[in-house]
Amino acid sequence: MFDFDMLGLSPALNDALSRNGFKEPTPIQNQAIPLALEGHDVLGLAQTGTGKTLAFGLPLIDRLLQSPGKPAPKTVKALILAPTRELVNQIAESLKQLTDGTRIRVSTVVGGQSINRQINFLSRGTDILVATPGRLIDLMERRAVDLSSASYLVLDEADQMLDLGFIHALRKIAPALGTPRQTMLFSATMPKQMEELSAAYLTNPRKVQVSPPGKAADKITQSVHFLEKPAKPRKLREILSMDTDALTLVFARTKHGAEKLMKGLVADGFNAASIHGNKSQGQRDRAIKAFRDGTINVLVATDVAARGIDIPGVAYVVNYDLPEVPDNYVHRIGRTARAGREGEAIALCAPDEADLLRQIQRLMKIDIPVASGEAPEELTSGGGQGRRGGPSRRRGGGGGGKPGGFNKGAGGGAAKPGQARRRRPRRRAA
């Protein structure tokens, strides 16, 4: 392990790190930064919330500070691609903290914002451009940006870019960049297609991995409630009523479902907002800012936000609907227990979601502890993979569920808004 000030970074960058409270690197930073500073292509595998932005951002900024001259009009020195608008904004915000007071200019281009405004500021050139692939393609087709002088490429959350179908956009963008260039690819998982992507765009990459794919952060306490689907709204309100001051992120499967759920919570007196694909960028930005500031304390989201929210204060993640892709469960719960804090992830599992839970447990090689309700037979008779310490212990008033379904009494009684509420004690992971 080393301290940041032992890396030989530029004085301006060391000052920025000190000013923002960074003292020593995280494991992924510890491994990736020296390799990147030496100019190697880097393939980094790490779960969300482990500090990947600094892992590629620090060496990138350091090398740009050593490169003389301002970018020419419309040109870019370094390109960072990310799959969602929220993640683009998060990356840019982190980099701007480090480049404050330097000549390095960080710009963003995402959909949902004025393309004419983006054309205008790109006309002056930028050192680091953080972009979503779709909007960048639009700007390239309008000849508003010239990537031929970009000598650095970063693909962040590359596995999600593949999931969202951005591989075709990447095939258009990558050939437009300058050569030779340094390429860094960071991902939370390593599916087969990711190996093909690495082979296509990285040259003799150094691979760094700090946790196995599918592993959640150690400080996340997980639990699952088994219940019938109609009992979910009541159970969610019960959970939210136990700690009304905490920041809670609730995940729904669809845009319509997220909006309906949010409106129902607001009608019941909860301070909630939502973000999903039907919201404008301005609406999404305002909701995230209000959540970050604590103006609202319940944010209902679809997976568009699973890797785009970096708010250390998120205490709880509730999977109201289980994701259809097991990896997304890991990304969702990675929104809590950030920056060394503890967090709690709570899943609500209806009978038709039992197979989704089984896939999640197989990926994570654990049995998620049961908080209430009765686990279905497929999960208790060998359905869970790689159990830790034997069968999951049951929490709460589960009771015996009837065959083929879950205990309908597992929903519990919700405290009414305004009623005295108790704070739920922290529990340690089983």
Side-chain angles (χ1 to χ4, degrees):
M1 179 67 72
F2 52 81
D3 292 332
F4 283 119
D5 58 10
M6 296 173 60
L7 288 174
L9 298 168
S10 66
L13 198 47
N14 277 323
D15 289 344
L17 286 166
S18 178
R19 188 169 59 250
N20 287 280
F22 296 108
K23 295 181 179 179
E24 62 182 35
T26 64
I28 187 65
Q29 295 162 5
N30 184 41
Q31 295 186 42
I33 290 174
L35 296 172
L37 286 172
E38 293 172 3
H40 296 289
D41 283 7
V42 175
L43 172 59
L45 297 176
Q47 64 201 35
T48 58
T50 54
K52 287 182 285 185
T53 300
L54 282 192
F56 61 76
L58 278 173
L60 184 61
I61 294 170
D62 185 78
R63 300 190 74 179
L64 289 176
L65 286 171
Q66 297 178 37
S67 175
K70 295 181 179 181
K74 295 187 179 182
T75 65
V76 173
K77 289 189 175 183
L79 174 65
I80 300 172
L81 293 176
T84 67
R85 305 168 186 175
E86 284 74 23
L87 187 54
V88 164
N89 293 334
Q90 172 191 311
I91 292 169
E93 181 180 341
S94 297
L95 297 184
K96 286 177 180 178
Q97 289 180 332
L98 300 175
T99 57
D100 185 37
T102 73
R103 59 176 174 78
I104 302 298
R105 181 186 303 165
V106 180
S107 303
T108 63
V109 292
V110 297
Q113 295 183 350
S114 169
I115 195 169
N116 290 328
R117 180 175 174 273
Q118 293 172 354
I119 291 172
N120 181 52
F121 68 68
L122 285 175
S123 67
R124 300 189 293 271
T126 190
D127 295 281
I128 301 175
L129 180 63
V130 193
T132 51
R135 176 49 62 93
L136 182 58
I137 290 289
D138 291 342
L139 291 163
M140 291 170 62
E141 291 175 346
R142 296 183 184 219
R143 301 182 183 275
V145 61
D146 179 3
L147 302 178
S148 62
S149 60
S151 52
Y152 304 96
L153 172 64
V154 177
L155 305 177
D156 193 22
E157 303 289 7
D159 51 349
Q160 191 182 22
M161 279 198 274
L162 291 178
D163 290 342
L164 296 177
F166 286 135
I167 186 63
H168 301 295
L170 183 58
R171 287 172 180 154
K172 292 182 180 179
I173 294 169
L177 274 70
T179 53
R181 68 170 179 268
Q182 181 182 28
T183 301
M184 291 182 276
L185 185 155
F186 286 82
S187 176
T189 61
M190 191 65 181
K192 182 177 180 181
Q193 197 175 10
M194 188 63 60
E195 297 176 0
E196 298 170 355
L197 187 69
S198 172
Y201 296 106
L202 276 67
T203 303
N204 298 322
R206 301 297 180 90
K207 182 178 179 179
V208 295
Q209 181 173 341
V210 298
S211 63
K215 184 179 184 300
D218 292 334
K219 293 190 176 183
I220 299 177
T221 300
Q222 299 181 62
S223 63
V224 58
H225 295 268
F226 292 106
L227 71 176
E228 301 292 336
K229 190 171 184 178
K232 281 192 176 187
R234 187 179 182 187
K235 173 58 72 174
L236 175 62
R237 285 153 177 78
E238 176 188 333
I239 292 169
L240 295 177
S241 296
M242 288 180 177
D243 198 348
T244 55
D245 296 329
L247 295 184
T248 302
L249 183 57
V250 180
F251 279 102
R253 187 175 298 130
T254 67
K255 295 178 285 189
H256 174 73
E259 190 68 10
K260 180 180 179 181
L261 182 58
M262 180 274 293
K263 290 180 177 178
L265 290 173
V266 171
D268 285 346
F270 291 95
N271 198 7
S274 65
I275 57 171
H276 49 73
N278 284 347
K279 296 282 189 178
S280 70
Q281 186 60 43
Q283 290 174 317
R284 287 156 66 168
D285 290 344
R286 287 191 294 274
I288 290 176
K289 183 179 186 301
F291 189 56
R292 184 188 300 275
D293 296 343
T295 307
I296 63 166
N297 58 0
V298 180
L299 185 63
V300 185
T302 56
D303 282 313
V304 70
R307 307 193 205 184
I309 296 179
D310 184 11
I311 300 175
V314 175
Y316 304 96
V317 170
V318 179
N319 279 281
Y320 185 83
D321 298 315
L322 290 181
E324 294 180 342
V325 178
D327 284 328
N328 285 349
Y329 175 85
V330 181
H331 306 320
R332 287 178 177 188
I333 70 174
R335 299 305 99 201
T336 188
R338 300 179 76 83
R341 292 173 169 83
E342 294 183 351
E344 187 166 347
I346 303 167
L348 306 185
C349 183
D352 62 354
E353 296 174 301
D355 186 59
L356 298 178
L357 181 62
R358 181 185 60 79
Q359 294 178 47
I360 290 167
Q361 294 188 149
R362 175 179 292 174
L363 171 70
M364 301 183 71
K365 295 181 173 62
I366 65 168
D367 281 345
I368 299 173
V370 179
S372 71
E374 189 73 20
E377 183 178 353
E378 62 202 85
L379 291 172
T380 57
S381 58
Q385 302 295 316
R387 298 184 175 189
R388 292 190 302 188
S392 303
R393 72 173 184 268
R394 184 180 306 156
R395 294 175 179 156
K402 64 180 180 178
F406 298 155
N407 180 10
K408 290 188 176 182
K416 295 179 180 180
Q419 179 179 341
R421 289 152 179 154
R422 59 187 174 86
R423 181 173 296 274
R424 178 167 62 258
R426 288 290 184 190
R427 299 191 295 266
R428 295 194 177 277

